[in-house]
Amino acid sequence: MIPESFIQDLLARIDIVDLVDSYVPLKKAGANYAACCPFHNEKTPSFTVSPTKQFYHCFGCGAHGTAIGFAMEYQGIGFVDAVRELASRVGMTVPESDGFSPEKHGQTRNLVEVMARAAAYYKEQLKRSPRAIDYCKKRGLSGEIAARFGIGYAPDGWQNLKTVFPDYDAEALKLAGLVIDNESGRRYDRFRDRLMIPIVNPKGDIIAFGGRIIDQGEPKYLNSPETPLFEKGRELFGLPQARQALRETDTAIVTEGYMDVIALAQNGVGNAVATLGTATTPTHVQKLLRQVDRIVFCFDGDNAGRKAAWRALENALEALADNKQVGFVFLPQEHDPDSFIRAHGKAEFDRQVAQAMPLSDFLLRELAQRCDLTSSEGKARLVYEAKPLLLKLPTPLLRLQLVKRLAEASGFAQAEVERVCELKSYTPPAPPKARRTAPSLTRNLLRIVLHKPALARELPIDLLPDTPERPALARLHALLGESRDTDSYAVLREQLRGLPEEQAIESAASELLDAPFDEAEAEEEFRDTVHRLREGAQMRRFAELQTKAQQVGVAGLSAAEKLAYIQFLSNRGIRS
């Protein structure tokens, strides 16, 4: 865990306006700044950044967060990586903690430098190799695309990297996956006579290489091994290069190879990425669904392609939401995405993607092909095979549709399918009940506290009525009571990450962007609202005592209740 005090210091030094403006040009809009949202397509700006509160909010898609949240969403990286990225911007060093040490960080930076030097060498060698240049031309690759993806060439030979690294025996070369030590202890280059494609992380660091053999040879593709920099189950080739196209199309195309990604980019399809020598993982899917609402897996139409698609489906289920879509394109058996787009052109490839088979259709079709639906046994097996997949789905609406279609295909009733698969019947949430004026008081308190967090320490939690805002106010009161230094919404927002009240507080915070607020009168308004709450609580208590007195008589009240009842009557000017 990164210390909370470090997060506070980091957010105090990062200006979210400067950060967002470095990626998305902002324009002044009153007290705030505005732009077209980088997370969904729009023509009229609805993405707003508050310089005073240090957070962003999109009134179109609901994207919301601090500088850390923006780095996570925009670059598709995790919390820790986002903190490190922002810390490097302002010259801060992430302190040592359970998952981080300066020694490890120093090693990582050293390996990044080693990979950068190797990449520069490979790029230079490509310029000097007519054979490698001719191969690129045969594949239809332009110089612009080669430069965009940093393509290079590892010449034939056993120890070419000696010219780049005089200390060829350095442990860093082996840790980076650039060299191999054989059983006799002799060291040699891992990549020889291969087109070299750098694998880049969201920060732009080269973390691995993919090597494609020129002409004939085995293996055709050779990737870097897993290293301290590179974990293939987490990385996607081409993601940094595809970022702009992903935002424009709101669709990610996932292929099996990096040459497919490069060929698609060469032909105008820039929103493609590829897995790296592994099946699609849940992490891959989660990373993409943070940036787009639709993923299309594009695989060969042979058995291997269908098996890869099924593994992708299984790993995509847990990451799905009802507002996200997953589809599948199966190309003719003689084609992969590279050869298909060169043979049929961009328009036909785009048509295939637009008409991709929905995940639900692919799931049901594949299951049906495994079962004999003309027999009772086959219909029972269909539901049996579907059960573990349905249990993975977190999306109630899609699961409901699948259950209905399974019932139709198997001949079971919908309720029977739900019971056998141990699913709860989906009941749409009841419409919210009409609220009286009490929620407006708690809503106003929440608004004031988000403007001036220090006031949360003074909240009379015991007086708060049972409204939607009460849990959020209680959480803020607890957080501020634990931390005496928290005085900004941005810091509070990061402390709320992952907590149940996070969404409710985000919703209230978004209202701050347009609502006028007088900072000078904030405390007076806070105390006036608390006073009104206190009066309301007293009135409710008096009503309770009055009802009890009518039922059991004043003599039936306890001594404390009698005293309170008499005081209420006195304060209200009532004579008994």
Side-chain angles (χ1 to χ4, degrees), residues 26 28 34 60 70 113 254 264-265 274 320 369 393 395 398 455 459 485 517 544 570:
L26 294 172
K28 197 79 168 68
F70 183 83
E113 292 170 7
V254 180
L264 290 174
L320 277 178
Q369 289 178 353
L393 268 176
T395 53
L398 177 59
L455 292 173
L459 284 168
D485 299 324
F517 189 81
E544 291 170 2
S570 176

Side-chain angles (χ1 to χ4, degrees), residues 68-385:
I68 295 174
F70 183 83
M72 291 173 65
E73 292 296 322
Y74 192 87
Q75 298 188 38
I77 57 180
F79 177 81
V80 175
D81 285 337
V83 170
R84 291 176 183 167
E85 168 72 12
L86 296 179
S88 67
R89 277 177 165 255
V90 293
M92 296 177 69
T93 301
V94 180
E96 184 174 357
S97 61
D98 292 342
F100 180 84
S101 69
E103 291 79 9
K104 183 177 179 181
H105 183 60
Q107 179 195 73
T108 299
R109 291 314 310 167
N110 184 39
L111 294 181
V112 167
E113 292 170 7
V114 166
M115 297 298 277
R117 289 172 64 187
Y121 168 75
Y122 294 140
K123 286 176 69 174
E124 188 61 31
Q125 292 304 305
L126 176 62
K127 299 175 185 177
R128 300 180 181 181
S129 173
R131 179 165 163 269
I133 292 172
D134 185 56
Y135 175 80
C136 289
K137 290 180 178 178
K138 286 180 180 178
R139 298 294 297 250
L141 304 182
S142 66
E144 180 184 353
I145 285 294
R148 179 179 174 187
F149 286 92
I151 297 175
Y153 171 65
D156 202 4
W158 292 98
Q159 295 184 330
N160 288 306
L161 288 178
K162 266 192 172 181
T163 61
V164 186
F165 303 99
D167 186 7
Y168 189 67
D169 293 324
E171 183 64 17
L173 296 183
K174 186 177 179 180
L175 277 176
L178 293 173
V179 299
I180 298 173
D181 291 336
N182 63 17
E183 293 180 358
S184 62
R186 184 173 181 270
R187 176 167 288 195
Y188 57 93
D189 294 356
R190 179 181 298 274
F191 299 101
R192 304 178 305 279
D193 193 26
R194 289 180 179 273
L195 201 68
M196 298 295 289
I197 295 96
I199 297 162
V200 182
N201 69 11
K203 294 189 292 183
D205 296 330
I206 297 171
I207 56 174
F209 289 101
R212 207 289 184 191
I213 197 72
I214 292 183
D215 299 328
Q216 302 300 314
E218 292 294 336
K220 182 186 292 186
Y221 294 100
L222 178 65
N223 289 333
S224 292
E226 294 207 348
T227 72
L229 294 179
F230 176 54
E231 185 180 344
K232 61 186 178 182
R234 299 184 60 85
E235 304 297 339
L236 287 159
F237 173 74
L239 188 57
Q241 293 91 343
R243 189 172 290 123
Q244 181 63 33
L246 292 174
R247 289 195 292 272
E248 292 173 353
T249 62
D250 201 23
T251 298
I253 301 169
V254 180
T255 69
E256 291 187 273
Y258 37 74
M259 291 306 295
D260 291 326
V261 172
I262 294 171
L264 290 174
Q266 175 69 67
N267 288 275
V269 179
N271 56 322
V273 297
T275 54
L276 294 156
T278 184
T280 304
T281 66
T283 301
H284 289 146
V285 177
Q286 291 164 5
K287 184 174 286 193
L288 289 174
L289 289 180
R290 283 204 297 261
Q291 302 187 54
V292 297
D293 286 341
R294 182 173 184 249
I295 297 176
V296 174
F297 293 98
C298 184
F299 295 129
D300 304 352
D302 56 14
N303 287 334
R306 291 184 179 276
K307 286 181 180 179
W310 184 256
R311 289 195 297 271
L313 178 145
E314 290 180 311
N315 286 325
L317 291 175
E318 293 180 14
L320 277 178
D322 278 322
N323 63 333
K324 304 288 184 179
Q325 300 177 46
V326 171
F328 295 85
V329 168
F330 297 101
L331 300 174
Q333 292 195 19
E334 68 274 14
H335 280 301
D336 56 23
D338 179 1
S339 63
F340 184 90
I341 198 166
R342 284 192 285 151
H344 298 282
K346 179 180 183 296
E348 178 59 21
F349 185 83
D350 288 343
R351 190 182 70 81
Q352 294 279 340
V353 171
Q355 299 178 1
M357 181 184 298
L359 176 143
S360 56
D361 289 358
F362 178 50
L363 185 152
L364 292 170
R365 190 186 73 177
E366 288 296 306
L367 291 181
Q369 289 178 353
R370 303 177 189 180
C371 309
D372 177 12
L373 296 183
T374 62
S375 68
S376 297
E377 291 82 357
K379 292 178 179 179
R381 185 185 175 190
L382 175 66
V383 177
Y384 174 82
E385 295 277 355

